[in-house]
Amino acid sequence: MACRAAISLPGLTRPLKPSSSVSGRISSGSAPPSKPYRSLRHLLLVPSRFHLPLPSSSHFRPFSCASSAFPVAAMSSSSSYQKELAAAKKAASLAARLCQTVQKAILKSDVHSKADKSPVTVADYGSQAIVSLVLNKELPSESFSLVAEEDSADLQKDDAHETLERITVLVNDTLSSEYNTTVSGKDVLAAIDSGKSEGGPHGRHWVLDPIDGTKGFLRGDQYAIALALLDEGKVVLGVLACPNLPHTSIANVDAHYSENQIGCLFYATTDEGAYLQSLNDSSATKINVSTVDNPAEASFFESYEAAHSLHDLSKAIAVKLGVQAPPVRIDSQAKYGALARGDGAIYLRFPHKGYREKIWDHAAGSIVVTEAGGIATDAAGNHLDFSKGRHLDLDTGIIVSNKKLMPALLNAVQESIRAQSASHL
Ligand code: AMP
Ligand code: MG
């Protein structure tokens, strides 16, 4: 069964795929630490009209800042990452704004193909540049290391002038709402290439997927800007901006949403819980994973793209576990966000043989889920280790659920994998 949560975004024009007019589709059915990056600091980012929130002892007292579109809910004073969180939320929100601008009127020339044939758009590059520039601007006294998906090699080619110009205009237009600043094409290239860090077990590293789910983005469906912070190899902060995700549960896949009912910002820091706010509103709500312990009442998420996860294997696992509901297929780490607020109880991800998971595809999502009371492990039940560089070394796949369901889920996963291997002998 394939259902759509028909999210109509007024003015969404997609010349790439003119027959489709709906956004937000939901289908049921190691290396040493890198040198700190400092070279963006000199850019023309003149003093901001945005001010970081003052430390507050009251939990989530809305921060009001008359001159900024990004008032930030204050964390309790026990949080050691509050200024990083404020900066990350601002960076991801601005990047989401750039992505929304592009998605609403995407041009054929905005889409390119990477060496591995996967798509990349001006919005992927623009989002990465924005996040790098904003983090540098907001956290000027901290060393900066960024592990991010994109690099500027293709933008430096002779035939890429116009594309770089388009990205630079998008970046400047987006930054102008918050900063009195203009960056050049060269600055944009440098900002994108600040993401070449190898990460690792020591020091702090930002981890970014500028558009997670580029294929969903191109379909007009779900995607996420996923930003996390590693400290000594552990994810300590995560922000997921999901511009097309409805504010309310997507469990009802037939629901329709208007533009002002979509756009979610999930965030979490270690031991502070997970929170959700609208991308257009600063009031935050604490979120928790589902308490479902009966598989017959659980629903599960998986990739929309069959090329990204083995749908047959997840179907076998669901049958073994006794899950009755059809899979809910959506793109990107929006799945982690939806699971963290209890829209569904299980997320299964089994890439095809040979695929190596990247840390930016799971870092932000995993802390949002774990701080909401869930667990994310590999198929052997090991916790995800983000300290090994740009890749995750793991056993077979990634499974995410609440603590009550996890033991039975892990059994079903391992039995199904064994059965699948035996059938291939
Ligand atoms: P999903 O939205 O769950 O389909 O996952 C999207 C992410 O999967 C993309 O952002 C890519 O980084 C990653 N990806 C790309 N190619 C593959 C692949 N062959 N198998 C699994 N994941 C992939
Ligand atoms: Mg990705």
Side-chain angles (χ1 to χ4, degrees):
M1 181 167 76
C3 305
R4 281 182 149 210
I7 300 167
S8 32
L9 284 179
L12 182 69
T13 55
R14 288 175 297 133
L16 281 171
K17 201 176 158 195
S19 61
S20 170
S21 63
V22 176
S23 172
R25 178 170 28 200
I26 297 157
S27 159
S28 74
S30 159
S34 64
K35 273 203 308 232
Y37 175 83
R38 292 174 196 279
S39 62
L40 296 174
R41 295 272 155 67
H42 68 283
L43 297 184
L44 300 171
L45 293 172
V46 295
S48 162
R49 287 180 281 120
F50 177 83
H51 303 284
L52 295 173
L54 295 168
S56 161
S57 56
S58 65
H59 220 73
F60 286 85
R61 198 178 60 196
F63 170 71
S64 78
C65 174
S67 59
S68 173
F70 295 100
V72 177
M75 296 292 293
S76 74
S77 55
S78 64
S79 167
S80 41
Y81 300 102
Q82 52 182 308
K83 69 178 191 313
E84 287 81 4
L85 177 63
K89 287 170 67 180
K90 183 175 183 182
S93 301
L94 281 170
R97 195 181 289 172
L98 180 148
C99 294
Q100 284 169 293
T101 303
V102 175
Q103 198 188 44
K104 281 179 182 169
I106 194 159
L107 310 170
K108 221 170 180 173
S109 57
D110 287 341
V111 188
H112 301 265
S113 210
K114 291 201 266 195
D116 66 359
K117 302 274 185 284
S118 64
V120 62
T121 73
V122 292
D124 295 70
Y125 292 122
S127 170
Q128 185 157 321
I130 291 265
V131 170
S132 174
L133 290 162
V134 172
L135 290 179
N136 270 277
K137 170 63 189 157
E138 297 297 331
L139 303 168
S141 60
E142 295 186 14
S143 68
F144 185 65
S145 165
L146 177 65
V147 182
E149 179 164 14
E150 308 306 339
D151 66 60
S152 79
D154 287 344
L155 295 175
Q156 312 242 21
K157 292 180 178 158
D158 287 344
D159 60 356
H161 286 311
E162 278 176 26
T163 303
L164 179 58
E165 236 174 82
R166 162 107 162 113
I167 297 164
T168 307
V169 168
L170 285 163
V171 168
N172 280 321
D173 283 355
T174 309
L175 290 176
S176 69
S177 65
E178 287 290 313
Y179 302 96
N180 301 318
T181 185
T182 317
V183 294
S184 66
K186 227 169 137 189
D187 298 331
V188 167
L189 295 175
I192 292 167
D193 281 338
S194 70
K196 288 183 173 175
S197 168
E198 291 292 329
H202 302 299
R204 288 186 176 188
H205 307 278
W206 290 97
V207 178
L208 170 69
D209 195 336
I211 294 188
D212 183 35
T214 305
K215 289 181 179 169
F217 174 80
L218 287 169
R219 265 187 262 108
D221 290 342
Q222 297 300 323
Y223 65 100
I225 294 87
L227 178 60
L229 179 63
L230 296 185
D231 196 348
E232 297 297 305
K234 298 261 185 296
V235 184
V236 294
L237 177 166
V239 173
L240 281 180
C242 306
N244 285 339
L245 194 69
H247 298 155
T248 51
S249 174
I250 55 170
N252 175 7
V253 291
D254 293 321
H256 289 248
Y257 304 93
S258 61
E259 194 170 11
N260 61 6
Q261 294 173 313
I262 60 169
C264 293
L265 186 66
F266 297 92
Y267 58 94
T269 48
T270 305
D271 296 334
E272 296 280 349
Y275 293 84
L276 167 60
Q277 67 185 63
S278 156
L279 270 173
N280 306 312
D281 179 357
S282 62
S283 55
T285 312
K286 196 169 192 303
I287 52 171
N288 295 292
V289 294
S290 143
T291 54
V292 164
D293 58 359
N294 178 1
E297 292 166 17
S299 62
F300 76 94
F301 298 112
E302 65 181 345
S303 296
Y304 182 87
E305 295 286 338
H308 292 177
S309 193
L310 298 164
H311 289 172
D312 283 356
L313 178 56
S314 45
K315 188 175 173 190
I317 293 164
V319 168
K320 197 169 278 292
L321 190 61
V323 171
Q324 315 267 302
V328 178
R329 293 182 176 146
I330 62 171
D331 303 278
S332 84
Q333 286 169 74
K335 292 186 276 299
Y336 280 101
L339 192 143
R341 70 176 181 194
D343 295 8
I346 298 167
Y347 167 23
L348 300 172
R349 179 177 172 91
F350 296 98
H352 292 254
K353 210 170 176 317
Y355 181 76
R356 285 184 80 194
E357 292 280 10
K358 321 293 189 306
I359 60 172
W360 53 77
D361 279 325
H362 301 282
S366 67
I367 190 171
V368 168
V369 160
T370 53
E371 285 297 322
I375 320 182
T377 72
D378 69 10
N382 303 310
H383 287 287
L384 305 181
D385 183 351
F386 292 92
S387 73
K388 304 275 192 204
R390 292 170 73 88
H391 292 93
L392 280 171
D393 284 332
L394 46 78
D395 187 326
T396 313
I398 291 180
I399 59 178
V400 189
S401 190
N402 65 35
K403 288 174 185 155
K404 291 177 181 166
L405 275 172
M406 192 50 116
L409 175 61
L410 199 51
N411 264 337
V413 165
Q414 292 177 353
E415 282 178 22
S416 303
I417 290 173
R418 274 197 295 273
Q420 194 195 48
S421 307
S423 73
H424 289 153
L425 287 178

